[in-house]
């Protein structure tokens, strides 16, 4: 949790339309991000820049952020997202929501894969629970395929075969070639 001067710096960033998503994506981080997004819009910022570095996290909370950014853009606001360091799993989905340019630093690493589980690993399941979890995993994976297809211009079949049942790490150049990002900082 940020303290003292870090809190003040973050407040100044929000006032100037700079947001950071720099932690695992979960209920607290998505709630904080949404509050900052609402505040930057309330302050009259029509263009925001998001610095994204995250090891990933919950697909549900990533879609919360994704949908909030879609809503923000629908009111004529601009969104630039810069991935730096790592944009793994759920975080890699968020960069696809940039309205103007999807950017990465030269050494950013991206991770895409199928969703592995929905609830904690120490949970006891009944057979019906497992069947329901399986259906929800299929639904979430279908949503992710749809977003990837729409944002990268690739077919769902191409995406499924490329990312099927394993982790796929991409560097910035590979991510650009694949359509996850539009440009790499310094390559202008």
């Amino acid at each position: 949790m940020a303290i003292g001067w870090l809190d003040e710096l973050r407040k100044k960033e929000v006032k100037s339309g700079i947001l950071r998503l720099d932690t695992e994506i979960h209920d607290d981080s998505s709630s904080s991000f949404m509050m900052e997004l609402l505040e930057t819009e309330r302050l009259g910022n029509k263009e925001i820049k998001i610095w994204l570095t995250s090891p990933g996290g919950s697909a549900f909370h990533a879609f919360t952020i994704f949908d909030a950014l879609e809503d923000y853009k629908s009111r004529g606001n601009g969104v630039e997202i810069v991935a730096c360091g790592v944009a793994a799993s759920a975080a890699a989905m968020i960069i696809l929501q940039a309205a103007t340019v999807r950017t990465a630093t030269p050494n950013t690493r991206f991770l895409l894969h199928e969703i592995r589980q929905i609830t904690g690993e120490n949970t006891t399941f009944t057979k019906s629970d497992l069947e329901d979890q399986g259906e929800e995993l299929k639904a979430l994976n279908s949503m992710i395929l749809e977003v990837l297809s729409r944002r990268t211009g690739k077919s769902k079949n191409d995406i499924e075969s490329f990312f099927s049942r394993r982790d796929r790490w991409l560097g910035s150049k590979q991510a650009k070639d694949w359509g996850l990002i539009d440009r790499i900082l310094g390559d202008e």
Side-chain angles (χ1 to χ4, degrees):
M1 178 160 211
I3 55 172
W5 67 270
L6 224 52
D7 281 337
E8 289 305 312
L9 177 61
R10 198 146 194 156
K11 286 177 187 173
K12 287 178 184 176
E13 288 176 338
V14 168
K15 284 181 183 176
S16 64
I18 298 171
L19 304 179
R20 288 184 284 137
L21 187 53
D22 55 4
T23 186
E24 184 177 338
I25 298 166
H26 51 69
D27 53 351
D28 289 340
S29 62
S30 65
S31 293
S32 293
F33 182 85
M34 301 244 318
M35 288 179 2
E36 289 178 354
L37 180 63
L38 290 169
E39 179 64 7
T40 196
E41 186 175 30
R42 186 190 70 75
L43 292 168
N45 290 307
K46 293 301 222 175
E47 299 287 328
I48 61 169
K49 184 174 195 172
I50 300 166
W51 286 89
L52 174 68
T53 181
S54 172
S58 163
F60 293 113
H61 293 101
F63 273 113
T64 298
I65 293 168
F66 190 90
D67 290 344
L69 290 171
E70 184 69 26
D71 179 62
Y72 183 80
K73 291 184 327 187
S74 74
R75 291 189 298 283
N77 298 316
V79 177
E80 178 184 357
I81 301 177
V82 180
C84 56
V86 65
S89 191
M93 295 297 298
I94 292 170
I95 196 164
L96 295 171
Q97 192 52 288
T100 51
V101 177
R102 301 168 297 175
T103 304
T105 58
N107 296 305
T108 301
R109 302 294 292 170
F110 296 85
L111 170 65
L112 291 171
H113 58 80
E114 286 186 317
I115 296 173
R116 293 191 171 91
Q117 68 183 32
I118 295 175
T119 60
E121 57 192 56
N122 295 325
T123 305
T124 304
F125 296 108
T126 65
K127 179 179 177 273
S128 297
D129 291 337
L130 288 173
E131 289 169 355
D132 290 345
Q133 292 283 317
E135 289 303 312
E136 188 58 26
L137 283 172
K138 287 179 188 175
L140 279 171
N141 276 316
S142 178
M143 289 169 59
I144 290 168
L145 281 174
E146 177 63 34
V147 168
L148 282 167
S149 178
R150 193 174 57 232
R151 303 294 177 156
T152 65
K154 303 267 188 228
S155 75
K156 289 180 187 178
N157 287 337
D158 287 346
I159 295 166
E160 278 185 306
S161 65
F162 188 72
F163 296 111
S164 65
R165 297 187 181 21
R166 60 190 228 204
D167 289 350
R168 284 293 198 154
W169 284 96
L170 304 171
S172 293
K173 171 115 176 56
Q174 292 168 300
K176 183 179 177 187
D177 292 345
W178 216 78
L180 288 176
I181 61 172
D182 301 308
R183 71 182 189 102
I184 300 169
L185 285 180
D187 283 358
E188 285 80 44

